[in-house]
Amino acid sequence: MKNILKYIYGLMVLAVLLSVASCQEDLVDPVNITDVSVTSLYQGEDISLTGEGFDQVQFLFLGNEQLDYTLEENTITFTVPDTYPVGMATITLAMKGARRETQEVEVLLKPTPVIGPFTPFVPVGEDVTITGTSLDNNTIVAIDGVPATIVSVSDTELVVTVPNGVNTSGAIEIEVTTDYGTDVTPTAFYAMENLLANSDLEAGEGDEFTDWEQLNNGDVITELLNGYGGTRSIHVAPTGANPWSTQMASTGVPLTMGAEYTIVMWAKADNAGAFMRVSASQYDGAGADYFYGADQEIAANAWQQYTWTFTVGKDLPTHRVVLDMGAGSVPFAIDHIGLVPGVVGEAGAIELLTNSGFEDGLTDWDILNGSVEASAEDAYCGAQSLKAVGTGGNHWDVQVAVNPDVAPTLDIGTMYELGFWAKAGGADGVMRASVSRWASGQSDDFFYTPEFTVAEDWTYYSFVFEAAATSTGVHQVVMDFGSTTQTFYIDEVSLKEYDPTSLYANGDFEDGFNNWSMLNGTVEVTTAEAYEGTSSLMATGTGGNHWDIQVAADAVALTEGQDYKLSFWAKAAGPDGVIRASVSRWASGQSDDFFYTPEITVAEEWTYYSYVFTAAATSTGDHQVVLDFGSTAQTFYLDKLVIEEFDSCE
């Protein structure tokens, strides 16, 4: 009986406790979503929820992703991430006691503009037609940085007038900006008159290209559907015969006798060793073929511009551009073939970053961690630079990245060069950079520079890497300053495709030791190692003076006062090997050797080295690149030496 009474008493206590708990729950204000600003929205857009009891909300989730939000009175606002999956998603407000309030929304693909095929040659004052997707959202267009007037715009087609003030002697770019992002033409644009029809080779079907005639061995001429800029190109598989054994010619056009014209095209070889030539006009046995261009080697694995300039030497009714592609045995592709009056300048690689000099503050850059700002305290170019102060912790404790909305999408497997100017406020400041941004469970941060100590004077740093895939599809340049307590300044950050053209011949030593001279010691060209191709320069030091083992390139006259970049790939057979380079060659009583690199401890794997210098006067008027290997008893390999003009503040 006593146990029964205890049981009844326990039930009564439990009932009282449940009643009290129920009353306490009744005292909690309800949390309700009464209105939503939109029920469907794009990635990267804001959404607002209106309701009651929002002061009790502890967390907000979109799907399974927790997001930051702002609360003003009875309205919660948050931003859908740029990379959030497209489709239906649940907004969940989480409160104490496992209480939840939800709302369904639809996330739409962000309509970032994408430029497709466009007219590659259009002179100033005429209209260029650009196709693509998502082109019509408060659109702004700039050609070579100059605002362009929009004639018409739809989601898939944009027509603009080429403005005055653009470069009319070389390849330039078109930039399209909408409310949802920016895209830049993936291939070269020329503000020039082009006399050839179907120069972009889009017209035609299969192996036929409208306005181009296959003269010889057309069986080895095919279409390449994913060619220059992802469009249709010509692909040629020569058979190692005569140049004219595989041949195509344009439709004839009238030219002015004695006038100067340039044939321009873009080409890419499947492997090293491809070459071709052009001629004007077509051979007829009576001298109509008055111009033959020199054989042109076609670079492997990267589209590159090639030009041939000639003077009309025959008064013919019409003139044809003839492509002689039969010599050699390495396949290659060609596209964007133009015939323009005058001379076409060399095409530089297109800059892929915006606001790289921080003249527009931190526009297009995001502070991820720590103390970073745009500062006028110091600058290499212009009036501002990026200033970052380290904390002496992790690299990423102070971190800045290119905004994902403007981050480029790199071509997977293509080589790119990341370069920038940097300066430290004192000694021992260490930083690093990466492409692209770390993402949990992904391999997005596929490339990191080594940790490097930043000089206390403005110094140029650059790194070459091969682009890999990312989970987001874009590639963000990220800079880490956190590992030391130093202050850093960064300016003129650049990301371009790596495809340099040298002013000096045979920097890859594929032609043996031609164009080089032995000054001291013994060096040789070897096939035992090569960064690219089959050969490199091999030198073994003596452990004496730098110049005890020394070679020099044939002289080239550089422009006094012009900036140039010296770059090369090098590898040491073992540790602690030191080399240096100079421009130009030492001469007794002269200041000809006006530039020396610092002493370089060469890595044991192929590594890229680059240095920027300003050309000074020499006693001879010429400039030689000199390489010194003598100071350590190590063996070195050096390949792909390039000197090119460099505009630090473009």
Side-chain angles (χ1 to χ4, degrees):
M1 181 71 180
K2 193 177 294 183
N3 289 336
I4 293 174
L5 290 174
K6 286 182 179 179
Y7 179 72
I8 294 172
Y9 177 75
L11 289 175
M12 292 174 63
V13 170
L14 178 61
V16 170
L17 290 174
L18 290 172
S19 175
V20 170
S22 176
C23 291
Q24 286 177 337
E25 287 185 4
D26 290 341
L27 293 176
V28 176
D29 291 334
V31 176
N32 295 308
I33 298 172
T34 59
D35 194 18
V36 59
S37 60
V38 290
T39 56
S40 63
L41 73 165
Y42 293 119
Q43 299 161 319
E45 287 192 322
D46 292 344
I47 182 171
S48 295
L49 311 176
T50 304
E52 57 183 354
F54 284 174
D55 58 334
Q56 301 174 59
V57 176
Q58 293 183 308
F59 304 101
L60 181 149
F61 294 87
L62 182 63
N64 295 321
E65 187 171 351
Q66 183 181 335
L67 301 177
D68 294 331
Y69 64 91
T70 60
L71 173 62
E72 293 187 8
E73 297 181 349
N74 64 341
T75 300
I76 283 176
T77 302
F78 68 94
T79 302
V80 176
D82 289 317
T83 58
Y84 194 84
V86 172
M88 297 303 298
T90 301
I91 302 170
T92 302
L93 305 181
M95 288 72 68
K96 286 183 178 179
R99 291 181 298 144
R100 302 289 185 267
E101 177 74 358
T102 62
Q103 172 69 45
E104 295 294 311
V105 295
E106 183 181 14
V107 178
L108 305 173
L109 181 66
K110 183 178 180 179
T112 304
V114 176
I115 296 175
F118 60 94
T119 315
F121 297 88
V122 178
V124 170
E126 296 190 15
D127 295 340
V128 55
T129 299
I130 303 164
T131 63
T133 57
S134 302
L135 300 177
D136 186 13
N137 287 295
N138 290 326
T139 307
I140 298 172
V141 179
I143 300 179
D144 197 28
V146 180
T149 300
I150 297 175
V151 177
S152 64
V153 61
S154 69
D155 187 63
T156 58
E157 184 177 278
L158 177 61
V159 179
V160 298
T161 303
V162 180
N164 288 313
V166 301
N167 177 9
T168 58
S169 62
I172 56 179
E173 65 183 20
I174 303 173
E175 181 179 88
V176 175
T177 301
T178 72
D179 288 344
Y180 298 100
T182 297
D183 196 19
V184 175
T185 43
T187 56
F189 173 71
Y190 299 85
M192 304 175 185
E193 178 188 14
N194 174 34
L195 304 177
L196 300 183
N198 194 26
S199 62
D200 59 4
L201 306 173
E202 292 303 296
E205 188 173 329
D207 299 340
E208 298 297 323
F209 299 87
T210 303
D211 294 305
W212 290 88
E213 181 185 1
Q214 297 179 3
L215 302 180
N216 295 311
N217 201 17
D219 292 343
V220 301
I221 300 174
T222 58
E223 67 174 349
L224 178 66
L225 292 179
N226 189 25
Y228 184 44
T231 59
R232 187 171 184 255
S233 302
I234 291 173
H235 189 262
V236 184
T239 57
N242 296 308
W244 58 86
S245 297
T246 302
Q247 195 175 53
M248 290 183 70
S250 69
T251 298
V253 295
L255 301 179
T256 301
M257 179 64 180
E260 195 172 47
Y261 295 86
T262 297
I263 300 167
V264 57
M265 72 175 66
W266 286 75
K268 180 182 77 167
D270 293 5
N271 296 290
F275 62 94
M276 63 167 291
R277 73 179 187 187
V278 299
S279 61
S281 182
Q282 184 179 347
Y283 171 82
D284 65 354
D289 50 337
Y290 56 86
F291 167 75
Y292 283 92
D295 287 347
Q296 175 64 62
E297 184 176 355
I298 307 299
N301 303 319
W303 286 97
Q304 187 167 307
Q305 176 189 274
Y306 299 95
T307 62
W308 294 263
T309 299
F310 67 95
T311 300
V312 177
K314 200 80 171 180
D315 192 8
L316 304 172
T318 61
H319 304 249
R320 306 183 81 180
V321 171
V322 181
L323 312 178
D324 292 334
M325 304 174 290
S329 57
V330 177
F332 58 93
I334 57 176
D335 206 340
H336 281 44
I337 310 164
L339 175 61
V340 301
V343 178
V344 175
E346 290 188 0
I350 294 175
E351 177 57 61
L352 301 176
L353 302 182
T354 56
N355 191 30
S356 56
F358 306 99
E359 296 303 302
D360 195 19
L362 288 180
T363 300
D364 297 333
W365 294 81
D366 293 337
I367 300 173
L368 304 183
N369 297 304
S371 175
V372 182
E373 63 178 315
S375 172
E377 291 178 9
D378 206 341
Y380 183 78
C381 297
Q384 294 194 130
S385 66
L386 180 78
K387 178 184 176 183
V389 180
T391 58
N394 299 307
H395 288 288
W396 56 87
D397 289 345
V398 181
Q399 190 177 57
V400 65
V402 171
N403 183 286
D405 290 341
V406 297
T409 297
L410 305 183
D411 292 331
I412 308 308
T414 297
M415 304 297 287
Y416 291 86
E417 183 171 8
L418 170 66
F420 51 87
W421 290 85
K423 174 182 177 180
D428 303 323
V430 174
M431 65 167 287
R432 71 176 186 184
S434 60
V435 180
S436 179
R437 187 175 171 185
W438 179 86
S440 179
Q442 305 293 334
S443 57
D444 285 11
D445 53 338
F446 58 87
F447 166 75
Y448 284 92
T449 70
E451 297 178 359
F452 60 95
T453 301
V454 178
E456 295 179 56
D457 294 314
W458 283 106
T459 302
Y460 179 73
Y461 300 91
S462 68
F463 307 89
V464 172
F465 64 94
E466 181 178 340
T470 67
S471 62
T472 62
V474 300
H475 296 76
Q476 291 174 265
V477 172
V478 182
M479 294 190 162
D480 297 336
F481 305 98
S483 65
T484 63
T485 57
Q486 193 52 265
T487 298
F488 303 90
Y489 300 92
I490 305 293
D491 208 351
E492 293 302 318
V493 185
S494 174
L495 180 62
K496 295 182 178 181
E497 187 173 331
Y498 173 69
D499 186 23
T501 300
S502 184
L503 299 171
Y504 287 70
N506 196 30
D508 57 6
F509 303 97
E510 295 300 303
D511 195 19
F513 204 62
N514 289 332
N515 306 111
W516 291 85
S517 300
M518 194 101 59
L519 302 184
N520 295 306
T522 301
V523 300
E524 63 179 292
V525 173
T526 180
T527 58
E529 285 277 0
Y531 169 73
E532 189 174 87
T534 60
S535 301
S536 68
L537 182 72
M538 183 176 76
T540 301
T542 58
N545 299 308
H546 288 289
W547 56 87
D548 288 345
I549 306 294
Q550 190 178 57
V551 297
D554 288 353
V556 172
L558 303 180
T559 302
E560 185 178 346
Q562 167 71 46
D563 282 352
Y564 294 87
K565 181 167 75 172
L566 163 67
S567 64
F568 54 85
W569 292 82
K571 172 183 178 179
D576 304 323
V578 174
I579 70 172
R580 72 175 184 183
S582 62
V583 181
S584 179
R585 185 176 171 183
W586 178 86
S588 179
Q590 305 292 336
S591 57
D592 286 10
D593 53 338
F594 57 85
F595 167 74
Y596 285 91
T597 68
E599 295 185 349
I600 306 162
T601 301
V602 178
E604 294 177 58
E605 301 294 335
W606 282 108
T607 302
Y608 179 72
Y609 300 93
S610 66
Y611 305 90
V612 173
F613 66 93
T614 302
T618 67
S619 59
T620 62
D622 293 326
H623 299 76
Q624 288 182 275
V625 176
V626 181
L627 304 174
D628 296 336
F629 302 98
S631 66
T632 58
Q634 190 54 268
T635 296
F636 304 93
Y637 303 93
L638 190 141
D639 202 356
K640 201 167 183 177
L641 183 143
V642 172
I643 283 195
E644 56 190 327
E645 288 190 6
F646 187 77
D647 185 353
S648 302
C649 302
E650 61 182 354

